[in-house]
Amino acid sequence: MSTPDTCCGLVPYFRVQPGKLPEFKALVARFVEQTRSEPKCLYYGFSFDGDVAHCREGYDDAAGILAHLDNVGAILQEALQIAEVLRVEVHGPAAEVDKLREPLAGLKPQFFVLEPGALRR
């Protein structure tokens, strides 16, 4: 017996301004701490390749992504003062992705729809 996979991933990439990496990493610690209490968050963390930061994050469903963006909005605005968004991807099953198309349109994400039958444990 399997459970339908409603997991949604938000995949943003940022380029940090020269000399601002330590300041951005301080914001990363705040992002993680602020996210810690979110009940729909499955995983959350940042990885780096030089001045490019990637936030690896997954949520139970589309509502989890929207709740997260509301929760970290103020910190995100601070981050955007020292980093630019290179791209944003949204991954999830069609029904969940469709719930995100309008609310996330301003981020200009690329939407990836998960094929039915995906495995989740």
Side-chain angles (χ1 to χ4, degrees):
M1 183 184 238
S2 65
T3 302
D5 187 359
T6 60
C7 180
C8 292
L10 186 61
V11 187
Y13 293 85
F14 303 87
R15 181 173 311 282
V16 181
Q17 295 173 3
K20 298 290 186 176
L21 198 55
E23 188 178 341
F24 189 87
K25 286 187 175 185
L27 290 173
V28 163
R30 290 176 52 206
F31 273 119
V32 171
E33 189 56 37
Q34 187 73 16
T35 302
R36 196 173 301 281
S37 65
E38 294 176 15
K40 290 184 173 254
C41 182
L42 300 171
Y43 54 87
Y44 188 85
F46 281 78
S47 54
F48 291 86
D49 179 15
D51 64 351
V52 175
H54 164 249
C55 187
R56 181 179 172 270
E57 49 190 303
Y59 303 88
D60 285 335
D61 53 25
I65 286 180
L66 296 174
H68 169 71
L69 290 172
D70 186 53
N71 185 37
V72 300
I75 303 168
L76 179 58
Q77 290 309 308
E78 288 182 57
L80 293 176
Q81 299 302 308
I82 59 170
E84 67 175 308
V85 176
L86 294 175
R87 75 178 186 270
V88 177
E89 300 172 5
V90 175
H91 297 257
E96 297 302 309
V97 167
D98 286 346
K99 295 173 189 175
L100 296 167
R101 289 183 189 278
E102 187 177 323
L104 300 185
L107 297 175
K108 298 179 181 152
Q110 184 173 8
F111 292 98
F112 291 87
V113 174
L114 183 65
E115 282 293 300
L119 176 65
R120 179 174 175 197
R121 294 188 175 161

